Amino acid sequence: MNKKKIIVPLVVLLAVAVYFVVFHKNKSLRYIPENADAVILIDIKKVTGQYLFSLATHPSHWSGNKAKGKSTGSLKDSGIRIPDFLQIFHIKDTKFTEWYSVLELKDSQKFIAFLKKQNFADKGNNRFQKDQIFLMINRNHCVAGTSDLALEAIQKEIQASSNSVRDADQFIHNTAGSISFISGKKIQNFSIELHDDEIEIKNNSNSEILNAVASKLQKGNHFLNLELDKENIRNFSRFFNKSIADSSQAVYLKATADLEQVNDTIISYEYDDNFNEVEKKTFQKITQPDYTIDIKSSDPGETWVYFQSKKWINSENQFTEIPFQPNQISRNNNGVVIKSTRKPIVLSPLLKENYIFIRNSALLYSSLKTLGNTEKRIISDIEYVLYGNKSQEYWVKIKAKNGELPLILRW
């Protein structure tokens, strides 16, 4: 009887402890600025639980994971206060590539030591940089970003303590993560789900249309295939602060592209012993796309005039907004067509769906010189990326190659 009296309270205490460690979450989001127009949330406890379950079911990874932890340093012991929800945000009217996050620090000196171990360069004034990651530390906070342009403004906003506290339930609902777009008081949420061999981002539970499109596209071998209607052209052009769909009268876009490695000639000059100028040619291999782009327009003449007004068409009828030259742009009764001239590409069959399909290629990730080994390894493990849209339903699928380990242990 005495044993039961002891065991029951212990079980209750254990259950309470498990609840607070695993399930209870602080849903107060204190570091999303008022002028944020997009937010990514990562549910740290859910991802950690998914990681531990995957690790427990793949004992072959135990020794490798332990060795990796020792060599790179543990994030748990880095001086960071691990949040229940990692908050990453984009600020209105900034470049699409600029994203920021605020971290709470338990020990700033320990965090600085961790950064040095991770080969971050000390830029002075508590600023650090590694590749395209910029950090600024101020006492018990660290502002991180893919740019340093807004670091000080975000830091001042934190110090002013004027930010309204948001609730995680506004953005995320029992998934590993979410991405949300904010327009005034309206918030449009997309779930981020992590599976064994793929990551899905979507605002609905029906993936049949996307899977059907993926099945058809996988039968081909092109690097890029896309079909977009006017609304999708408008949505994507907003990322680049361009009003192409409205100004150009474009109502439909179809494109197909392949990658090819070509020889590039570099001409330089040097002087001989008699100070005569001598031409020197060197050759290097570069990766360039071969492509065909078909833009349907409600007014092809107006489209042509708009491109000319933007100085996107030169005297040789080349479309200069595409950096990969040479190409040729021509006009027909339905719109305009842009083709690379080195190797013609035939457009793939119409699917009459809205999609962007990018198939991975060794030529792609081998040409990304600025990326580190870790980033290249992750990119090389991707099989394809697919975006799809039907009415108000949107999907993005990042499909990895089939492997012995689930993604959460591979990446």
Side-chain angles (χ1 to χ4, degrees), residues 247-371:
S247 303
S248 68
Q249 310 300 317
V251 296
Y252 171 81
L253 175 65
K254 168 75 175 167
T256 301
D258 287 327
L259 293 180
E260 184 181 18
Q261 197 170 65
V262 298
N263 290 320
D264 184 41
T265 304
I266 302 172
I267 299 176
S268 59
Y269 296 89
E270 58 185 25
Y271 295 91
D272 62 18
D273 294 338
N274 296 319
F275 298 99
N276 296 314
E277 191 176 66
V278 179
E279 182 181 278
K280 182 182 178 181
K281 289 185 178 181
T282 55
F283 301 92
Q284 65 175 357
K285 289 189 178 295
I286 60 172
T287 300
Q288 286 202 337
D290 300 308
Y291 51 86
T292 295
I293 302 170
D294 184 11
I295 303 173
K296 294 288 189 291
S297 171
S298 58
D299 189 337
E302 183 64 29
T303 302
W304 191 266
V305 170
Y306 174 74
F307 286 172
Q308 287 180 321
S309 70
K310 301 295 288 185
K311 301 189 185 322
W312 292 348
I313 303 176
N314 64 16
S315 59
E316 298 176 347
N317 278 350
Q318 292 180 332
F319 190 72
T320 57
E321 273 295 277
I322 298 177
F324 306 105
Q325 304 288 341
N327 65 38
Q328 199 73 26
I329 182 170
S330 59
R331 178 172 51 173
N332 57 38
N333 292 332
N334 297 317
V336 297
V337 177
I338 306 166
K339 293 184 177 182
S340 57
T341 56
R342 186 177 56 252
K343 187 177 179 180
I345 294 290
V346 178
L347 286 172
S348 59
L350 286 175
L351 297 185
K352 296 183 180 180
E353 300 283 357
N354 284 301
Y355 67 88
I356 299 175
F357 181 84
I358 302 174
R359 188 191 311 274
N360 203 357
S361 166
L363 291 177
L364 174 65
Y365 57 80
S366 64
S367 64
L368 301 174
K369 307 294 185 184
T370 59
L371 296 182

Side-chain angles (χ1 to χ4, degrees), residues 98 148 208 267:
E98 294 180 22
D148 61 349
E208 290 182 9
I267 299 176

Side-chain angles (χ1 to χ4, degrees), residues 112-378:
I112 290 172
F114 173 78
L115 293 179
K116 290 179 179 178
K117 192 172 182 180
Q118 301 300 316
N119 298 318
F120 275 80
D122 189 340
K123 297 295 183 178
N125 296 322
N126 281 332
R127 289 173 176 261
F128 298 84
Q129 181 185 351
K130 181 180 180 182
D131 301 325
Q132 288 303 117
I133 302 297
F134 301 85
L135 305 175
M136 186 173 72
I137 299 171
N138 191 324
R139 289 179 289 185
N140 60 341
H141 288 99
C142 171
V143 183
T146 57
S147 168
D148 61 349
L149 296 178
L151 294 183
E152 286 191 21
I154 295 170
Q155 185 64 60
K156 288 178 181 177
E157 195 166 338
I158 295 170
Q159 291 174 334
S161 300
S162 58
N163 265 5
S164 59
V165 179
R166 301 177 189 250
D167 192 289
D169 287 338
Q170 292 179 274
F171 304 95
I172 191 169
H173 304 285
N174 199 35
T175 57
S178 68
I179 179 167
S180 305
F181 297 95
I182 305 171
S183 179
K185 293 184 178 180
K186 183 180 177 182
I187 301 175
Q188 188 174 19
N189 296 324
F190 297 81
S191 65
I192 301 175
E193 299 178 14
L194 178 60
H195 305 294
D196 284 353
D197 292 308
E198 64 186 33
I199 298 171
E200 280 191 310
I201 303 170
K202 57 188 180 181
N203 67 345
N204 63 88
S205 58
N206 180 16
S207 297
E208 290 182 9
I209 296 173
L210 188 73
N211 292 333
V213 171
S215 178
K216 293 176 183 178
L217 292 169
Q218 281 181 284
K219 295 176 182 177
N221 57 5
H222 292 298
F223 165 69
L224 170 70
N225 270 308
L226 68 84
E227 291 181 47
L228 298 175
D229 62 13
K230 183 176 181 178
E231 187 62 29
N232 276 271
I233 296 172
R234 182 185 290 116
N235 289 339
F236 278 100
S237 65
R238 285 175 187 157
F239 288 127
F240 305 99
N241 295 320
K242 297 179 185 292
S243 55
I244 295 173
D246 297 323
S247 303
S248 68
Q249 310 300 317
V251 296
Y252 171 81
L253 175 65
K254 168 75 175 167
T256 301
D258 287 327
L259 293 180
E260 184 181 18
Q261 197 170 65
V262 298
N263 290 320
D264 184 41
T265 304
I266 302 172
I267 299 176
S268 59
Y269 296 89
E270 58 185 25
Y271 295 91
D272 62 18
D273 294 338
N274 296 319
F275 298 99
N276 296 314
E277 191 176 66
V278 179
E279 182 181 278
K280 182 182 178 181
K281 289 185 178 181
T282 55
F283 301 92
Q284 65 175 357
K285 289 189 178 295
I286 60 172
T287 300
Q288 286 202 337
D290 300 308
Y291 51 86
T292 295
I293 302 170
D294 184 11
I295 303 173
K296 294 288 189 291
S297 171
S298 58
D299 189 337
E302 183 64 29
T303 302
W304 191 266
V305 170
Y306 174 74
F307 286 172
Q308 287 180 321
S309 70
K310 301 295 288 185
K311 301 189 185 322
W312 292 348
I313 303 176
N314 64 16
S315 59
E316 298 176 347
N317 278 350
Q318 292 180 332
F319 190 72
T320 57
E321 273 295 277
I322 298 177
F324 306 105
Q325 304 288 341
N327 65 38
Q328 199 73 26
I329 182 170
S330 59
R331 178 172 51 173
N332 57 38
N333 292 332
N334 297 317
V336 297
V337 177
I338 306 166
K339 293 184 177 182
S340 57
T341 56
R342 186 177 56 252
K343 187 177 179 180
I345 294 290
V346 178
L347 286 172
S348 59
L350 286 175
L351 297 185
K352 296 183 180 180
E353 300 283 357
N354 284 301
Y355 67 88
I356 299 175
F357 181 84
I358 302 174
R359 188 191 311 274
N360 203 357
S361 166
L363 291 177
L364 174 65
Y365 57 80
S366 64
S367 64
L368 301 174
K369 307 294 185 184
T370 59
L371 296 182
N373 291 332
T374 301
E375 290 83 0
K376 285 184 178 180
R377 176 178 56 79
I378 291 174

